[in-house]
Amino acid sequence: MGTDEEADGGFGVETSLTRLGRNPRAYSGFVNTPIVRGSTVLFPDAETLESRDVEYTYGRPSNPTTRALETALAALEGGARTFLTPSGLSAIAVTLLTFAESGGHMLIADSVYQPTRRFAARVLKRLGVEVEYYDPLIGSRIAAQIRQNTKLVLTESPGSQTFEIQDIPAICRAARGAGVPVAIDNTWGTPLYFRAFAHGVNISIQSATKYIVGHADALLGAVTCDEPAAAAVASTHEALGLCANSEDCFLALRGLRTLAVRMERHWRSGLAMAEWLASRPEVAKVLHPALPVAPGHELWKRDFRGAAGLFSIILKPYPKKAVHRMLNALQIFGMGYSWGGFESLIVPFDCTAARTATVWKPEGPALRLHIGLEDVDDLKRDLERGFAALAGNGTV
Ligand SMILES: *Cc1c(COP(=O)(O)O)cnc(C)c1O
C-alpha cells in the first residue's frame, strides 16, 4: 500500500484522503465542503469588478465545491493543477485538443480506451493531426517513433480490456529527451497506485467516474498537470467552457474519503478471483498484472503500488451461445459498462478490429471483470454457476 507518500503537509496518503478539500472552519464547523450551486458571483464594488481581484468571478471557472476537488486531486496526484470535466472522455478530449495542431503528430498506445480512438478519428483527423498508434510494449524504442513535429505521447497503463503494462518511465525518458510531453490515462492505477508524476508523466487523466466517485452514481473527469502542461491545458479548458457539476464533485470528494480502503479491498478480492480463475479448466488465460504469471507483471511490481479490481480472462474456445448462457446464469455479476463502483461486473469484449499497430488474437472469447466489494466466496459461487451453464449443451 502506498501509505508512505506525502500528498499534503507531510501526512501519509491515507491521512491526506481524510483532509484534502475540506475546511470546516470556513463552513461553521461542518465537516464537509458544501455543495455550492451558482453561476453569478457578485462583486463588492466597481473597483473590484474592474480588477477581478477576488477568489471567484463566475461559476464556470470554479466555485468552492469544484475548487475543493481540484486542489485535493492535484495534491493526491502530485501535480501542479487539476482541471475538471463532465466525464473521463471529455478529460481525454481536452488533453488531446490542447496539443492538436494542423501538421502535428501524436503517438497513442494501440491498447487505448476505444472512445479515445474515436475522438482521434472524428476530431483530430479533421484538424489535420497525424495520429500514429504504437505498440503499448514499445518502451524506450518509442524514441524512434518521435518526430520533429510530435506534439504528445498518450499512454494508458494497463491498456483498456487487454491490460498491457507500459514501461512509462522509459517512454517518459525518451519523450523528455525530445521535448515532447507525455500524458497517461491513469484511471486503473488511480492517484494511489500509480504515481504518474514520480514516473515522469506530465499529464495524468482520471475518469473519476470510476474509483474516485466509486459508487456508480456520477460521471466526472480530471486532468492533472505539471506546471508547463497546466498553462497549455488551462487555455483550452477555459476556451471550451468545460466545467463539472458541483453535486458530482461533492460525490467525488466523498468518494476520496474511502478511496484507500475501497481500493485495498478491490485489489485483494480481484487478485483472489484472478488466482481462482487461473486454476479453472474453462479459462485459457488471466490478464491481471498482479498475477505473477501474467504478462507485464514485472513492470507492474516495479512501478505500481497496488492493483485495481479490473482484469480480463480469455476462455477456452467456447461458442458465443455458451458464453451467453454463462452470462445469463450469473446472479451477482452485473452486465454493464463502466466500473470502479461497489458491484461486480462482467462484459464480453472483442478488440480485434480496433487494433492497428498490434494484433489481438485470443484463443477464445474474452471477458472483462470488475471485482466489487462483495464476499469473494459468493463471487466464486456465482461464476461456478456461470461455468456450469457454459459447459452445458454446445461445448466445443
Ligand atoms: C471509463 C473510462 C474512461 C471514460 O470515462 P467516462 O467518465 O465514462 O467518460 C476513460 N478511460 C478509461 C480507461 C475508462 O475506463
Side-chain angles (χ1 to χ4, degrees):
M1 274 292 296
T3 52
D4 55 336
E5 193 82 12
E6 291 185 6
D8 92 305
F11 293 113
V13 169
E14 296 193 347
T15 305
S16 295
L17 284 171
T18 70
R19 296 168 57 90
L20 290 167
R22 297 199 301 121
N23 183 9
R25 252 165 298 161
Y27 301 106
S28 310
F30 283 92
V31 165
N32 293 294
T33 301
I35 297 172
V36 174
R37 306 187 58 107
S39 51
T40 303
V41 177
L42 298 178
F43 292 78
D45 47 51
E47 290 72 22
T48 314
L49 181 66
E50 188 177 291
S51 70
R52 297 169 69 88
D53 188 20
V54 278
E55 222 176 332
Y56 302 100
T57 55
Y58 184 47
R60 190 177 54 228
S62 57
N63 69 41
T65 315
T66 63
R67 183 162 301 167
L69 181 60
E70 286 162 5
T71 55
L73 288 177
L76 269 182
E77 290 260 27
R81 261 191 87 179
T82 295
F83 303 89
L84 300 174
T85 63
S87 67
L89 182 56
S90 54
I92 294 164
V94 71
T95 302
L96 294 176
L97 267 184
T98 295
F99 297 95
E101 61 182 82
S102 177
H105 171 249
M106 278 187 197
L107 286 162
I108 300 184
D110 206 28
S111 51
V112 81
Y113 179 61
Q114 281 187 35
T116 301
R117 251 174 206 279
R118 183 175 62 199
F119 181 81
R122 290 193 191 166
V123 181
L124 295 182
K125 194 171 169 217
R126 188 155 45 78
L127 296 177
V129 179
E130 186 187 344
V131 173
E132 185 182 348
Y133 290 94
Y134 65 89
D135 179 347
L137 305 180
I138 197 166
S140 60
R141 285 179 294 116
I142 197 141
Q145 310 291 117
I146 294 173
R147 306 179 193 168
Q148 207 77 50
N149 61 340
T150 303
K151 302 296 173 194
L152 183 73
V153 177
L154 179 64
T155 65
E156 182 178 326
S157 185
S160 269
Q161 301 179 319
T162 47
F163 296 90
E164 295 90 342
I165 296 283
Q166 296 197 253
D167 191 341
I168 301 294
I171 290 173
C172 290
R173 274 192 299 275
R176 197 178 316 118
V180 176
V182 176
I184 187 168
D185 184 331
N186 195 24
T187 303
W188 191 90
T190 79
L192 298 190
Y193 289 168
F194 189 76
R195 308 290 304 152
F197 294 92
H199 289 299
V201 167
N202 307 99
I203 300 169
S204 175
I205 301 165
Q206 293 287 337
S207 166
T209 304
K210 310 292 166 52
Y211 285 122
I212 291 172
V213 165
H215 296 73
D217 48 10
L219 288 146
L220 197 64
V223 185
T224 302
C225 304
D226 63 12
E227 288 285 359
V233 171
S235 167
T236 306
H237 183 266
E238 181 184 34
L240 288 171
L242 290 173
C243 56
N245 173 291
S246 291
E247 302 201 15
D248 295 341
C249 292
F250 181 89
L251 291 174
L253 283 162
R254 178 158 146 154
L256 286 183
R257 311 302 170 211
T258 58
L259 183 63
V261 287
R262 285 186 288 110
M263 288 310 294
E264 194 169 355
R265 176 65 79 89
H266 286 295
W267 174 13
R268 301 290 171 210
S269 297
L271 192 54
M273 291 301 293
E275 281 164 354
W276 178 78
L277 283 161
S279 74
R280 293 290 311 192
E282 300 87 353
V283 176
K285 204 181 274 173
V286 179
L287 305 174
H288 188 309
L291 262 194
V293 297
H297 178 69
E298 289 307 315
L299 284 180
W300 173 79
K301 215 163 70 179
R302 188 191 71 186
D303 294 345
F304 284 76
R305 299 172 152 227
L310 189 81
F311 62 95
S312 290
I313 60 173
I314 312 297
L315 295 172
K316 300 263 175 71
Y318 291 92
K320 189 192 214 165
K321 250 185 149 154
V323 177
H324 283 186
R325 273 203 311 273
M326 171 186 173
L327 296 175
N328 291 338
L330 300 174
Q331 294 172 6
I332 299 174
F333 279 87
M335 276 175 278
Y337 294 101
S338 200
W339 46 276
F342 47 80
E343 80 290 28
S344 287
L345 300 169
I346 189 165
V347 280
F349 70 91
D350 179 6
C351 53
T352 316
R355 299 300 170 99
T356 51
T358 55
V359 177
W360 168 252
K361 209 162 173 272
E363 48 269 72
L367 299 169
R368 192 192 71 180
L369 287 85
H370 178 251
I371 304 305
L373 304 177
E374 305 92 339
D375 189 312
V376 163
D377 290 331
D378 287 334
L379 294 177
K380 287 180 184 168
R381 272 192 291 274
D382 201 34
L383 288 181
E384 273 170 356
R385 246 189 307 273
F387 285 139
L390 178 75
N393 321 311
T395 311
V396 172

